[in-house]
Amino acid sequence: MDNNEHPIFIPNSYQIYTKPTEYLANFILSNISQGHHGCSVYGGGGLGKTTAQQYLTENASRWLVNMKTKQQIGVAARMVMPSGIRRSDRAFWTAINRRLKLVNAIRMDPGLGLERLVNFIRTRCGQARQRRMVLFIDNAQRITEAEYQYLEDLDGLVLDEKLSLFLVLVRQSDAEGVDVGDDWLERPSHTVRRWFMDTAPFRPLMGIAEITHALGRYDRSVAWPTPDMPFSRYFAKDAFDRGWCLSKDAPVIFEGVRSLRKEYKLPETDAWPMATFTLVVHSLLADIAHEKPDFNGFTPEQVRHVLLASGYLRLEFVRAKMRMPDLGHDEAA
């Protein structure tokens, strides 16, 4: 079997359930229970917002449930808001329909575009015997004020169908986040009432407990090609069968991150963005655990090597808005 077929090497071929994803799910459920029509989430690049949306969309039946009755309360879909300037409702509804793969037309009548979207929501809810759709809109900072008015039209038509549309507006901010007040202060009250009654940051993994939990997903939750072959076992079968697992090495991995930050005088933090976390895990498993015949756990030297090779420092210097030093031999290691 070709190892390159493994999902770990294929972009967007798997997602893991992390604590930040759990916080996002609970935030959405809280807003639904309060009767809101949507909520706003923001975060810098590389934190894992897209992966979390993909996981929650594909696993709606696991989390989109009533906590008391354990019954499913909706379905989920996701789209990425396209960039560019849309100067009319025709352009907006065409873009939405194309991103949801409802039409291939370059241009379409705005009334038809709106009706297609209402029908999409009606059909998805009807198939699942639900009355609510949660729609994640990634890169929602690209939505203009005029386009929020178009979304109000959609919201009203869905309500006329005795259905509910809940928008999760996922907005890209800079590395330090945005002022929560920016989400609503300059917006008209009817827009705030619908979608900006609550706002939350999307966080990176925070501290060794959340990192250990995320590493544990590779030991149990994601498997290929059979359910008895979690990712960590696939790349280190003998060690795994002797009792090793990836999450057991969380302390040495976490300490490797802290030591490297201290060595390069980066600000102290327990935060680890998913962008480099997954790259480091991929390299530890595929390049070290899989290639070392007598593997039985990672050493601090191996962790440091992988952190440098993964580009961890480069992203962290950008996030800290600091000038990156010349890493010389270390960067090429």
Side-chain angles (χ1 to χ4, degrees):
M1 184 177 295
D2 185 356
N3 287 335
N4 290 329
E5 295 178 0
H6 194 284
I8 207 169
F9 300 114
I10 303 172
N12 294 326
S13 60
Y14 75 97
Q15 296 86 37
I16 61 172
Y17 184 70
T18 64
K19 288 298 181 180
T21 302
E22 180 180 328
Y23 299 144
L24 175 58
N26 289 335
F27 177 67
I28 295 168
L29 289 172
S30 173
N31 275 270
I32 289 174
S33 70
Q34 295 172 42
H36 298 163
H37 292 220
C39 60
S40 171
V41 181
Y42 64 89
L47 298 186
K49 300 186 300 299
T50 296
T51 303
Q53 293 171 72
Q54 291 171 333
Y55 182 93
L56 294 177
T57 300
E58 295 176 14
N59 296 275
S61 61
R62 298 186 181 184
W63 68 274
L64 195 49
V65 298
N66 183 301
M67 291 294 101
K68 293 181 180 178
T69 65
K70 306 302 180 183
Q71 298 296 309
Q72 188 173 349
I73 59 172
V75 296
R78 172 182 173 268
M79 61 160 286
V80 180
M81 196 68 203
S83 59
I85 299 174
R86 295 166 294 275
R87 301 185 183 278
S88 67
D89 54 349
R90 178 196 299 271
F92 177 73
W93 292 121
T94 300
I96 295 291
N97 275 263
R98 294 186 69 186
R99 283 305 171 101
L100 287 170
K101 296 181 172 60
L102 304 181
V103 68
N104 292 321
I106 297 176
R107 297 181 67 188
M108 65 190 309
D109 180 84
L112 176 60
L114 181 54
E115 177 54 34
R116 280 183 181 271
L117 191 50
V118 173
N119 188 59
F120 167 70
I121 296 167
R122 183 193 301 122
T123 301
R124 283 287 309 276
C125 288
Q127 290 171 341
R129 297 184 179 180
Q130 299 293 329
R131 292 193 173 276
R132 176 182 291 106
M133 169 173 279
V134 173
L135 178 59
F136 293 91
I137 303 184
D138 205 355
N139 281 324
Q141 75 279 357
R142 296 171 176 171
I143 303 174
T144 67
E145 289 304 321
E147 291 170 347
Y148 277 116
Q149 295 181 31
Y150 307 151
L151 288 172
E152 289 178 26
D153 294 339
L154 172 64
D155 194 47
L157 289 176
V158 170
L159 287 173
D160 288 344
E161 296 279 338
K162 295 182 169 54
L163 300 173
S164 172
L165 175 64
F166 187 92
L167 298 184
V168 183
L169 304 169
V170 183
R171 305 170 70 229
Q172 181 82 16
S173 69
D174 62 19
E176 298 171 347
V178 296
D179 186 342
V180 173
D182 292 344
D183 282 343
W184 61 270
L185 191 59
E186 302 300 326
R187 301 185 186 278
S189 60
H190 53 89
T191 302
V192 173
R193 177 178 60 83
R194 275 185 164 87
W195 304 300
F196 290 93
M197 293 294 285
D198 205 357
T199 300
F202 187 89
R203 306 183 317 166
L205 297 172
M206 297 295 295
I208 190 168
E210 292 190 5
I211 290 170
T212 302
H213 174 270
L215 292 172
R217 304 300 91 191
Y218 292 87
D219 297 328
R220 297 182 294 277
S221 298
V222 286
W224 186 89
T226 56
D228 66 339
M229 194 63 72
F231 285 13
S232 52
R233 183 171 186 250
Y234 179 91
F235 289 102
K237 185 176 183 298
D238 291 342
F240 191 94
D241 291 346
R242 289 194 301 266
W244 171 86
C245 63
L246 184 60
S247 57
K248 284 188 176 181
D249 275 348
V252 70
I253 295 171
F254 183 65
E255 184 55 36
V257 171
R258 298 187 70 176
S259 296
L260 197 64
R261 296 189 70 90
K262 183 176 181 180
E263 178 182 348
Y264 285 93
K265 297 180 173 56
L266 282 163
E268 289 189 18
T269 178
D270 289 343
W272 194 349
M274 285 297 293
T276 49
F277 173 82
T278 53
L279 289 176
V280 168
V281 170
H282 295 182
S283 187
L284 287 172
L285 289 176
D287 299 334
I288 295 179
H290 194 55
E291 299 299 327
K292 188 173 173 56
D294 58 346
F295 175 78
N296 202 38
F298 300 109
T299 67
E301 293 75 21
Q302 290 169 337
V303 171
R304 184 180 189 279
H305 170 87
V306 169
L307 284 166
L308 288 168
S310 71
Y312 171 83
L313 283 177
R314 186 175 297 277
L315 180 59
E316 291 306 299
F317 273 101
V318 170
R319 283 164 46 79
K321 298 185 181 300
M322 294 171 59
R323 183 181 179 85
M324 187 171 177
D326 181 7
L327 302 184
H329 173 73
D330 276 344
E331 187 175 30

